[in-house]
C-alpha cells in the first residue's frame, strides 16, 4: 500500500517536490526500482532531476527501446550511445529503424565497423538480448553490410526478429534486380550459428522457395540448439519443424497466401514429429479476399495439426472490405472444439 501511495503521489505532483516531501528515498533500491517501473514513460523523465533516482530512471527507460519507424529518433539514439556508452550497456531489447543507414554505408563504402560507420554505436550495446533491425533489407547477405553482420554476430541474443529481408531470389517489380550468386539459406545458418543462446526467432513474412529448400536440406539442430519459439510463414516453418520438433514450445504461422491442400498435407506430415513441449499454437490469417478463403474454410484442420497444445490463437491480419463475405465469427462456428 505504501508503494502505491508513493506512485499516486508522483503521478499527481510529479518531480522533485513530491520526492523531497516523502520517505521515498529511504526505501531499498530494489523497491524504488519496482515503484518507478509502474510509472508511465512520460512520467519517468521528470524524476531524473533527482540525482539519487536518475540511475534507476535511466535503467528503466533504456532497458527496452521500440523505434520501428522514424529515422531521426534512431539516429539520435545511436548518437546517445556514442556520447554515453554506459546507457548503451543498459539496453536489453531493441527494435530500431535502420533504413537510413543502409544506403549511407553503401555510398561511403564502409566495410568495417570503425567509428566512421554509422552503425558502430550498436556494438556498444553489449547486453542486448533481443534485437530487431527494421527497414534494413540487405544486411544478412550483402557484401556492403559485412561490418553490420559482424556486430550482430557478436551479440548474445535470446530473441531475434527479422522484420524485413530482401531475398535476392525473389523478383521485386519496384526496384532494380540484384545480382548475387550466394545462398541465402547458408547466410541464415551463419547467423544462427553465431547465436547459440537463441530461443525465439521471428522470420520475415516471405522467403524464396530456393532459400527455404536450402534450409530444408542443410539446417541442423547444432545451428539452433536452444530454439523454442518460431514465428514464420507455414512454408518456411517446414524447414525448421523437423529440426526442433521435440523442443518447440511456441509456434506461430504468419499470414500467407500459400495455403492449399498440398501445403496442409506437408505440414500434417511434419507435425507428427512435434513433441509434447508445444504449448501454444497461433496462426495469422488474411481476411480480405476470396482467394484466401482456404485457411478459413479449413480452420479446424489447421488447428488439428497440433491437438495437444494448451493455447490456440488466431490473429486476423487485415479486415475485409469485400461485400458478401461472411463475418469471421462464421468460420469459428465450423471448428469442432474437443478440449
Amino acid at each position: 500500500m505504501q508503494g502505491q501511495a508513493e506512485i499516486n503521489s508522483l503521478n499527481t505532483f510529479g518531480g522533485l517536490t513530491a520526492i523531497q516531501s516523502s520517505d521515498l528515498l529511504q526505501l531499498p533500491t530494489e523497491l524504488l526500482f519496482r515503484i518507478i517501473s509502474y510509472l508511465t514513460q512520460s512520467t519517468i523523465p521528470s524524476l531524473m532531476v533527482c540525482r539519487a533516482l536518475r540511475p534507476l530512471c535511466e535503467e528503466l527507460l533504456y532497458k527496452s527501446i521500440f523505434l520501428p519507424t522514424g529515422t531521426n529518433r534512431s539516429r539520435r539514439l545511436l548518437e546517445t550511445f556514442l556520447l554515453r556508452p554506459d546507457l548503451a550497456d543498459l539496453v536489453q531489447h531493441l527494435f530500431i529503424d535502420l533504413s537510413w543507414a543502409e544506403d549511407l554505408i553503401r555510398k561511403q563504402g564502409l566495410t568495417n565497423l570503425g567509428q566512421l560507420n554509422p552503425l558502430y554505436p550498436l556494438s556498444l550495446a553489449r547486453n542486448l538480448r533481443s534485437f530487431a533491425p527494421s527497414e534494413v533489407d540487405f544486411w544478412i547477405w550483402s557484401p556492403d553490410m559485412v561490418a553490420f553482420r559482424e556486430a550482430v554476430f557478436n551479440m548474445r541474443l535470446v530473441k531475434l526478429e527479422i522484420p524485413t529481408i530482401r531475398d535476392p531470389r525473389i523478383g521485386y517489380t519496384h526496384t532494380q534486380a540484384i545480382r548475387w550468386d550466394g545462398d541465402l539459406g547458408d547466410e541464415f545458418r551463419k547467423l544462427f550459428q553465431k547465436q547459440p543462446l537463441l530461443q525465439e526467432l521471428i522470420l520475415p513474412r516471405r522467403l524464396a522457395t530456393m532459400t527455404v529448400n536450402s534450409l530444408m536440406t542443410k539446417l541442423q539442430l547444432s545451428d539452433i540448439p536452444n530454439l523454442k519459439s518460431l514465428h514464420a510463414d507455414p512454408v518456411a516453418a517446414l524447414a525448421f519443424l523437423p529440426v526442433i520438433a521435440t523442443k518447440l514450445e511456441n509456434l506461430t504461422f504468419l499470414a500467407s497466401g500459400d495455403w492449399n491442400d498440398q501445403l496442409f498435407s506437408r505440414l500434417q506430415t511434419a507435425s507428427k514429429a512435434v513433441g509434447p513441449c508445444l504449448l501454444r499454437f497461433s496462426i495469422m490469417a488474411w481476411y480480405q479476399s476470396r482467394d484466401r478463403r482456404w485457411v478459413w474454410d479449413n480452420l479446424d484442420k489447421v488447428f488439428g495439426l497440433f491437438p495437444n497444445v494448451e493455447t490456440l490463437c488466431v490473429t486476423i491480419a487485415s479486415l475485409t472490405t469485400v461485400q458478401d463475405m461472411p463475418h469471421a465469427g462464421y468460420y469459428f462456428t465450423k471448428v469442432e472444439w474437443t478440449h
Side-chain angles (χ1 to χ4, degrees), residues 4 25 32 47 50 62 64 80 96 100 113 118 125 138 150 152 169 201 253 258 264 308-309 328:
Q4 184 61 49
L25 298 181
L32 277 174
L47 302 182
C50 176
Y62 281 87
S64 297
T80 300
I96 185 170
W100 54 273
L113 203 63
F138 303 87
E150 289 298 325
V152 178
R169 304 299 185 181
L201 175 64
F253 285 158
D258 296 327
F264 175 77
N308 297 318
V309 297

Side-chain angles (χ1 to χ4, degrees), residues 92-96 98 122 128-134 136 139 148 151-152 155 157-163 200 202:
Q92 296 184 25
H93 312 282
L94 180 60
F95 196 128
I96 185 170
L98 296 176
L122 283 175
L128 270 182
R129 294 297 175 264
S130 173
F131 184 52
S134 176
V136 52
W139 71 272
F148 179 58
V152 178
M155 297 175 184
L157 300 175
V158 174
K159 176 181 177 181
L160 173 62
E161 181 172 354
I162 307 173
E200 183 173 2
I202 304 177

Side-chain angles (χ1 to χ4, degrees), residues 18 73 100 114 124 131 136 167 180 189 215 222 263 270 284 301 328 338:
R73 296 176 67 193
W100 54 273
L124 302 176
F131 184 52
V136 52
D167 191 325
W180 183 68
R189 290 188 62 219
L215 288 171
S222 57
L263 174 59
M284 293 181 63
K301 291 183 181 179
T338 58

Side-chain angles (χ1 to χ4, degrees), residues 64-306:
S64 297
I65 299 176
F66 188 73
L67 298 174
T69 58
T71 59
N72 289 336
R73 296 176 67 193
S74 298
R75 286 174 183 260
R76 288 198 297 268
L77 176 67
L78 297 189
E79 290 171 358
T80 300
F81 286 178
L82 277 177
L83 296 173
R84 292 280 308 275
D86 58 310
L87 295 181
D89 269 341
L90 297 176
V91 182
Q92 296 184 25
H93 312 282
L94 180 60
F95 196 128
I96 185 170
D97 179 358
L98 296 176
S99 57
W100 54 273
E102 200 165 42
D103 288 338
L104 186 60
I105 290 173
R106 187 178 296 109
K107 290 177 182 178
Q108 295 182 357
L110 300 173
T111 58
N112 62 73
L113 203 63
Q115 294 192 19
L116 294 178
N117 192 305
L119 297 180
Y120 165 76
L122 283 175
S123 65
L124 302 176
R126 295 171 295 184
N127 293 310
L128 270 182
R129 294 297 175 264
S130 173
F131 184 52
S134 176
E135 303 299 332
V136 52
D137 299 338
F138 303 87
W139 71 272
I140 290 181
W141 57 271
S142 172
D144 297 325
M145 299 296 287
V146 61
F148 179 58
R149 282 198 295 278
E150 289 298 325
V152 178
F153 287 171
N154 290 331
M155 297 175 184
R156 292 296 175 261
L157 300 175
V158 174
K159 176 181 177 181
L160 173 62
E161 181 172 354
I162 307 173
T164 56
I165 188 70
R166 180 168 179 184
D167 191 325
R169 304 299 185 181
I170 296 178
Y172 295 83
T173 57
H174 61 286
T175 54
Q176 296 181 352
I178 296 178
R179 298 193 62 177
W180 183 68
D181 297 326
D183 184 334
L184 187 56
D186 288 342
E187 301 305 316
F188 271 112
R189 290 188 62 219
K190 291 177 185 177
L191 174 62
F192 299 154
Q193 290 165 2
K194 294 293 185 177
Q195 302 298 334
L197 303 178
L198 191 66
Q199 296 183 17
E200 183 173 2
L201 175 64
I202 304 177
L203 290 173
R205 185 169 294 168
R206 185 187 177 199
L207 293 177
T209 301
M210 185 176 296
T211 299
V212 175
N213 289 340
S214 172
L215 288 171
M216 285 183 178
T217 303
K218 301 176 182 179
L219 190 66
Q220 301 177 21
L221 183 59
S222 57
D223 298 332
I224 43 175
N226 292 299
L227 192 64
K228 300 178 181 178
S229 180
L230 175 67
H231 305 246
D233 77 78
V235 176
L238 284 168
F240 290 82
L241 287 178
V243 179
I244 58 173
T246 59
K247 294 186 174 184
L248 193 61
E249 297 179 0
N250 179 35
L251 175 63
T252 297
F253 285 158
L254 301 180
S256 171
D258 296 327
W259 283 103
N260 54 42
D261 291 335
Q262 182 180 7
L263 174 59
F264 175 77
S265 178
R266 295 174 67 189
L267 287 169
Q268 198 171 31
T269 301
S271 68
K272 294 178 181 178
V274 175
C277 291
L278 186 62
L279 302 177
R280 179 184 175 89
F281 174 47
S282 306
I283 177 172
M284 293 181 63
W286 292 106
Y287 188 65
Q288 61 179 16
S289 62
R290 290 181 174 85
D291 62 353
R292 290 187 168 97
R293 285 267 302 263
W294 188 98
V295 68
W296 290 105
D297 288 339
N298 298 276
L299 196 59
D300 54 341
K301 291 183 181 179
V302 176
F303 279 159
L305 288 170
F306 309 101

